[in-house]
């Protein structure tokens, strides 16, 4: 239909690796089970990291997760352009993660213990009621 806008209900969740995911170097606080939970909820998931794309793809294969995307951190805009969604999140542990996330229209979720308690419930717990 001409002139109509399709509104997506998709949610895109991008994970930094090092200092964020439990399998990063250094390990972060986000368990791989949380990535799997995001997929179960129907979210598109992947990684945006300083690590080369080949490393990111091999990492996902190693943990037996089919990622919807892998990208370099400074290319979050390409992820956003590729997936029209209702919400975009980038989970990371550094100010650089926050800079690239907010610059490219992603909500930044800090991977530290205090922040994690709040956003993990918001993003990954089923709604009550």
């Amino acid at each position: 239909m001409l002139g109509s806008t399709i509104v997506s209900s998709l949610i895109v969740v991008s994970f930094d690796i090092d200092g964020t995911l439990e399998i990063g170097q250094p390990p972060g606080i986000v368990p791989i089970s949380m990535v799997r939970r995001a997929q179960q909820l129907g979210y598109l998931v992947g990684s945006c990291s300083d690590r080369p794309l080949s490393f990111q793809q091999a990492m996902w294969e190693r943990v037996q997760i089919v990622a919807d995307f892998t990208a370099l951190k400074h290319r979050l805009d390409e992820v956003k352009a590729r997936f029209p969604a209702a919400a975009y999140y980038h989970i990371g542990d550094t100010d650089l993660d926050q800079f690239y996330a907010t610059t490219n229209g992603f909500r930044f979720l800090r991977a530290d213990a205090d922040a994690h308690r709040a956003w993990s419930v918001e993003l990954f717990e089923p709604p009550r009621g």
Side-chain angles (χ1 to χ4, degrees):
M1 181 183 280
L2 291 176
S4 67
T5 302
I6 297 174
V7 177
S8 172
S9 62
L10 285 176
I11 294 176
V12 173
V13 182
S14 165
F15 295 90
D16 176 47
I17 298 171
D18 297 325
T20 299
L21 292 176
E22 67 181 348
I23 58 173
Q25 295 298 322
I29 66 166
V30 177
I32 293 302
S33 62
M34 186 172 280
V35 179
R36 287 191 174 93
R37 175 71 180 139
Q39 286 185 315
Q40 290 170 348
L41 291 169
Y43 302 166
L44 297 180
V45 301
S47 51
C48 289
S49 169
D50 295 327
R51 296 284 194 151
L53 298 181
S54 59
F55 176 93
Q56 293 181 50
Q57 292 159 350
M59 177 201 71
W60 290 123
E61 288 174 17
R62 199 168 47 254
V63 297
Q64 300 177 334
I65 289 178
V66 177
D68 296 295
F69 58 89
T70 54
L72 296 174
K73 192 178 302 188
H74 66 281
R75 298 209 167 161
L76 276 167
D77 61 328
E78 293 176 6
V79 173
K80 190 171 185 181
R82 186 172 162 203
F83 300 106
Y88 300 88
Y89 297 92
H90 179 68
I91 301 171
D93 66 315
T94 67
D95 291 340
L96 197 57
D97 285 308
Q98 183 174 12
F99 171 79
Y100 285 124
T102 57
T103 298
N104 292 296
F106 281 67
R107 180 168 169 213
F108 177 67
L109 305 175
R110 188 160 296 274
D112 68 30
D114 291 335
H116 179 259
R117 278 189 285 280
W119 60 253
S120 65
V121 170
E122 173 188 337
L123 209 52
F124 298 106
E125 294 292 322
R128 293 189 176 117

